[in-house]
Amino acid sequence: MNNLRFNRFETFRNHFYYNDLGDNIGNKPIKTKGYIKCKIMHGTVGTNVVPDTIIYEEDEKKNFKWIQPLAFYPIRNIHYDDEGKIKGIGQMIVDISCKTTVYITFGSKDYIRSYEDYSQLYSCEISSSVELTDYYTENGYFDKDMIPFLKAYHHTNQDSYDKILSSGYLKLSNWNIAGTKSLINIGYVYLTPLDELKYDMDLIQIAMSSLGQILLSTNHGELRRIKIYRRNTKDFGSRLDLFVDSRCIAPSHLFKRKDSNDFVFYQICSPFILRLGADVNSVYYFDNNIIKLNSNTKIADYIVIGDSDFIECISAPYDEENTDSIFKIEKIPEGKNLFDFWWENKNTDLYSNKQITPIEFDKI
């Protein structure tokens, strides 16, 4: 049967994750009110809006359900008035679990607030061909300042679990997303919304495998073998449940892909990995199973793009220091929405002179 939350077909013996993305929305879409947390980013050939999290079914206590995007097309249908000034209404096409597509419409009037991780929150209308109730990745809630906290899990062994509970904190890993490159100027706590790691196919979703490798496919069907961290499901018998301040979560790297009509879209790399960056030698404390933004949190100011047209480029998200294909994240001031910013900076190079802090890797 399909697990609508985690993009997979389940049998008694395995979990099979879908590689195909999206479908047609249909003639009579179902409309749902919600929120989108997103960032505006710049590449060498233009600007994109990148979705972090889709939120819906908020109740009176500010509890909600959230969806992890799997892929998205560049924002479209930005409307202008008679004088050519942007009205600030856009639509994003986003693929979510089990080959389902949603259309997300929002604009400048829907702006709610900006966050320290350079993201912004907007109310939105979500159109889909199915009822979204069972498509949520996990639960979450808004605090009094409208900061989204997302439920996620840390999977480990019993001994480590006991030590984590007694200490009240999670230590950082000094390894990159593939677990194959040592980092110098940042560390990560790695979490996942997957509630169990039962089969090797679950491990592959978080860039681990008993075989220590995965295969990446280009747009032309060429395969490239990538080395990842070798682990087994028996290493993860215990689980710590957490609610995580979404401002701590680093944005995912992307694959640039093309559909059957040769239109460009972006696929999220390892969407079920949540990385919490921080200064090296620090930790992430949790109180009442809640992790909050703190003074040691390191905010990402760029992400890596793997160009799936070229077999030598597709591995970039796992080989970060050997690529110059990136998106730089825009730091929009509080109170300024991305649509107004986009209009005010039209026909401007916002990439070349924008300074970033690259991750440094141990060369040994």
Side-chain angles (χ1 to χ4, degrees):
M1 61 178 292
N2 278 335
N3 184 318
L4 301 179
R5 296 173 56 195
F6 299 136
N7 192 42
R8 67 193 186 203
F9 182 81
E10 298 181 350
T11 71
F12 291 112
R13 296 184 176 181
N14 213 335
H15 292 160
F16 299 95
Y17 289 81
Y18 289 107
N19 292 317
D20 296 333
L21 297 166
D23 62 5
N24 293 323
I25 194 169
N27 296 322
K28 294 182 178 180
I30 300 168
K31 296 184 177 182
T32 304
K33 293 295 183 181
Y35 302 89
I36 182 168
K37 182 175 179 284
C38 58
K39 298 181 177 76
I40 189 168
M41 304 187 189
H42 311 296
T44 56
V45 294
T47 294
N48 280 281
V49 177
V50 178
D52 280 351
T53 312
I54 301 167
I55 292 170
Y56 68 108
E57 291 197 4
E58 178 191 14
D59 65 20
E60 66 280 358
K61 295 183 178 180
K62 297 294 185 180
N63 299 308
F64 58 68
K65 295 180 177 179
W66 64 273
I67 295 175
Q68 170 60 54
L70 303 182
F72 63 95
Y73 284 85
I75 196 167
R76 66 177 195 172
N77 292 350
I78 298 178
H79 301 297
Y80 298 83
D81 63 20
D82 293 338
E83 297 178 353
K85 185 174 181 180
I86 194 168
K87 282 184 174 181
I89 299 175
Q91 187 175 75
M92 294 193 75
I93 302 174
V94 181
D95 290 334
I96 62 173
S97 178
C98 292
K99 299 183 282 187
T100 299
T101 297
V102 297
Y103 286 24
I104 300 176
T105 304
F106 63 107
S108 55
K109 64 180 177 58
D110 301 309
Y111 170 80
I112 296 174
R113 63 158 296 177
S114 300
Y115 299 109
E116 288 83 349
D117 66 342
Y118 317 135
S119 67
Q120 297 191 317
L121 183 70
Y122 293 82
S123 57
C124 67
E125 181 179 82
I126 308 168
S127 298
S128 59
S129 58
V130 296
E131 292 282 359
L132 290 179
T133 300
D134 296 325
Y135 281 81
Y136 70 104
T137 305
E138 250 306 343
N139 296 302
Y141 67 89
F142 285 116
D143 74 357
K144 62 181 178 60
D145 296 314
M146 287 298 288
I147 297 169
F149 282 72
L150 310 182
K151 189 171 185 180
Y153 305 99
H154 180 70
H155 296 276
T156 187
N157 58 49
Q158 185 63 51
D159 181 59
S160 294
Y161 175 82
D162 292 338
K163 291 177 180 178
I164 291 168
L165 282 189
S166 63
S167 68
Y169 61 77
L170 289 163
K171 293 182 178 180
L172 303 181
S173 165
N174 66 335
W175 295 97
N176 73 334
I177 192 173
T180 56
K181 296 177 183 289
S182 180
L183 312 175
I184 294 176
N185 62 338
I186 192 172
Y188 291 105
V189 164
Y190 286 99
L191 306 176
T192 179
L194 296 178
D195 56 7
E196 62 177 349
L197 302 177
K198 190 174 182 179
Y199 303 110
D200 201 56
M201 297 297 285
D202 300 321
L203 290 182
I204 289 173
Q205 295 302 305
I206 56 171
M208 298 181 187
S209 171
S210 61
L211 299 177
Q213 60 185 19
I214 55 172
L215 292 175
L216 301 179
S217 176
T218 69
N219 294 331
H220 316 292
E222 302 168 287
L223 297 178
R224 183 161 190 176
R225 196 177 306 274
I226 302 297
K227 183 181 178 181
I228 59 173
Y229 193 29
R230 186 187 296 271
R231 295 294 294 271
N232 293 283
T233 55
K234 63 180 177 60
D235 300 327
F236 300 100
S238 298
R239 186 188 82 184
L240 179 65
D241 296 22
L242 297 161
F243 281 95
V244 183
D245 186 332
S246 60
R247 298 173 297 174
C248 302
I249 300 172
S252 300
H253 300 316
L254 303 175
F255 296 112
K256 181 182 178 182
R257 295 198 176 274
K258 291 181 179 177
D259 65 16
S260 57
N261 294 312
D262 217 30
F263 293 132
V264 169
F265 70 96
Y266 294 93
Q267 182 181 3
I268 311 295
C269 173
S270 298
F272 293 124
I273 294 178
L274 304 182
R275 297 178 300 155
L276 282 59
D279 293 326
V280 293
N281 301 320
S282 63
V283 298
Y284 265 105
Y285 287 95
F286 57 90
D287 182 19
N288 198 26
N289 288 69
I290 297 172
I291 291 178
K292 293 184 178 181
L293 185 79
N294 62 69
S295 60
N296 292 315
T297 299
K298 294 196 76 168
I299 304 300
D301 52 15
Y302 74 100
I303 61 171
V304 172
I305 311 299
D307 191 336
S308 301
D309 262 346
F310 307 98
I311 194 166
E312 64 272 17
C313 298
I314 194 172
S315 60
Y318 303 97
D319 195 23
E320 303 99 312
E321 78 274 35
N322 294 317
T323 183
D324 57 3
S325 180
I326 65 173
F327 279 164
K328 297 180 181 180
I329 302 172
E330 183 62 55
K331 304 173 184 178
I332 303 179
E334 176 67 40
K336 176 78 68 175
N337 69 78
L338 67 87
F339 298 96
D340 289 346
F341 177 88
W342 207 329
W343 171 256
E344 293 167 4
N345 293 276
K346 63 183 184 297
N347 302 321
T348 303
D349 180 0
L350 296 171
Y351 178 87
S352 299
N353 295 322
K354 188 175 299 299
Q355 299 299 308
I356 61 170
T357 304
I359 293 176
E360 298 175 17
F361 294 84
D362 191 341
K363 301 300 182 182
I364 299 177

